[in-house]
């Protein structure tokens, strides 16, 4: 379990890169909480790229990061490629209708995800 909620990773790109590199090498982490980090779409992309082939992660919390529709597109890519994540929290990320549709299409190719929280996303 790794909780980096509110750590300000979105404001420190060097730290975000280091965390992303560590995540791409790790294959044991089960729960990752990166909520309230101000990741934006670029930070969301970095995290999704790092987790694309992660084999153990079960829960990803990205609430309150303002990843927007572009970040939602990366979440969709993650959903198509990752087969371990079964819960994603995307509350308060301004994904909008377009971002939600990216995710909806990706869900057609994902049989692992059991819980997806999209509250307060302007959908």
């Amino acid at each position: 379990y790794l909780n980096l909620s509110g750590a300000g990773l979105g404001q420190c790109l060097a730290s975000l890169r280091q965390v992303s590199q560590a995540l791409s090498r790790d294959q044991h982490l089960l729960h990752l909480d990166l909520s309230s980090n101000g990741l934006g779409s670029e930070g969301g992309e970095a995290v999704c790229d790092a987790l694309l082939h992660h084999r153990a992660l079960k829960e990803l919390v990205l609430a309150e990061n303002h990843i927007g529709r572009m970040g939602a597109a990366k979440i969709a890519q993650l959903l198509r490629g990752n087969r371990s994540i079964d819960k994603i929290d995307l509350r308060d990320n301004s994904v909008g209708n377009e971002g939600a549709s990216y995710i909806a299409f990706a869900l057609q190719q994902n049989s692992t995800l059991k819980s997806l929280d999209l509250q307060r996303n302007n959908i």
Side-chain angles (χ1 to χ4, degrees):
Y1 186 99
L2 181 59
N3 185 344
L4 293 174
S5 178
L9 294 174
Q11 288 75 41
C12 184
L13 294 179
S15 294
L16 179 58
R17 276 193 286 273
Q18 288 176 334
V19 168
S20 294
Q21 288 171 356
L23 290 172
S24 66
R25 290 189 302 267
D26 173 79
Q27 292 301 312
H28 302 286
L29 185 65
L30 298 176
H31 179 100
L32 177 62
D33 186 344
L34 295 175
S35 60
S36 303
N37 267 289
L39 296 177
S41 60
E42 288 183 35
E45 288 179 29
V47 170
C48 288
D49 286 343
L51 296 175
L52 188 59
H53 300 291
H54 200 286
R55 294 183 185 122
L57 192 69
K58 294 292 182 189
E59 184 173 354
L60 176 62
V61 181
L62 290 176
E64 301 174 15
N65 273 297
H66 308 289
I67 64 169
R69 65 179 175 82
M70 297 310 296
K74 288 304 272 193
I75 292 288
Q77 183 180 359
L78 177 66
L79 287 170
R80 284 190 294 272
N82 182 287
R83 296 294 179 239
S84 67
I85 299 174
D86 62 18
K87 182 176 183 181
I88 299 179
D89 182 346
L90 293 174
R91 288 172 291 127
D92 294 308
N93 269 294
S94 306
V95 302
N97 291 331
E98 187 176 352
S101 68
Y102 296 148
I103 293 169
F105 285 118
L107 288 173
Q108 296 173 7
Q109 300 172 7
N110 181 294
S111 60
T112 314
L113 195 70
K114 296 176 184 161
S115 175
L116 174 63
D117 191 342
L118 286 170
Q119 293 180 71
R120 296 183 300 273
N121 270 291
N122 303 320
I123 300 171

